[in-house]
Amino acid sequence: MTQVTVPPDLRARHLVGTPELARLLATGERIVLLAIRFQPDRPDGRAAYRAGHIPGAVYVDLPTELAGETAGFSGRRPLPAIRDLQRDARRWGWRDGDPVVVYDDNRGLQAARAWWVLRWAGLTDVRLLDGGLTAWTRAGGALSTDIPLPDRGDVTLKAGNLPAIDSDGAAKFARDHILLDARNVDAYLGRPAEKDVPREGHIPGAHNLPTTGNLADDGTFAAPAEIRARLERAGVAPGARIGVYCGGGVAASHQILAFATAGIEASLFPGSWSAWSSDPDRPVATGVLPG
């Protein structure tokens, strides 16, 4: 494996462990804590949030607050309008300069969308709770059913601070660089088209690298060296330009976060497969990986 020097604090810029989060909460330091309780089979996470959340956490609805309205071939979770995101962030109590921690109850696979969207909106002090709610409770962390009502914040957001691509950009990455499909292998392989059935498969030229492979057995992120080694095993050369997509721009955000902890930049295709496959003029591939 090629040796690359990664700053020792790089992982800590993007992730926070349960001991540090517990310390921050115990000392009363100002922090915005956001609970993302969406899961694909349970899109409305309010009931799970009300049943128990990390004390002080504000509920954030992924489908309506971390995504915008669909239009044309936008896919099911396009990026939110920046004015709407700023309005919601102020409702969460966010002030300019506040550090933010996001978490979910599924190993960060959904909260990473919040990490990406907020950094795309210009906020640099945004970290994900490594291991999520499972790690918190496993470490003995308390849960609360109290619903916080934060004072309105004044945060100012500006779009475009992380690289994003559209369908044309995804096609170019697949042709000229590296395009990674972060879904599981079955979704990537798909099946031949059938009448009146949504198209399955992958963007031609894309390589499959499921984001769950970036996690250790306990649900925390793998070490940066392992993430880099995984990319090289997949044939991605150090320094290659990388684009990432998934079904609707959520799992791909998790993949990009994993890469960021290892000092690797990648572009997100927010519309992902839901955008690509909705356009009948876009080709679809099924079956084995390219090459």
Side-chain angles (χ1 to χ4, degrees), residues 161-186:
N161 293 277
L162 287 182
I165 56 178
D166 58 12
S167 291
D168 287 340
K172 180 174 177 57
F173 264 85
R175 182 178 65 249
D176 300 335
H177 307 293
I178 296 291
L179 183 65
L180 298 177
D181 186 321
R183 299 174 298 166
N184 65 51
V185 66
D186 289 340

Side-chain angles (χ1 to χ4, degrees), residues 6-7 10-15 115 119 162 221 224 227-228 253-266:
V6 177
L10 186 59
R11 183 181 174 97
R13 297 179 199 172
H14 302 291
L15 301 175
W115 171 88
R119 284 184 172 253
L162 287 182
F221 280 79
I227 291 170
R228 283 185 167 274
S253 299
H254 186 274
Q255 181 105 275
I256 291 172
L257 170 54
F259 293 169
T261 68
I264 300 165
E265 183 180 271

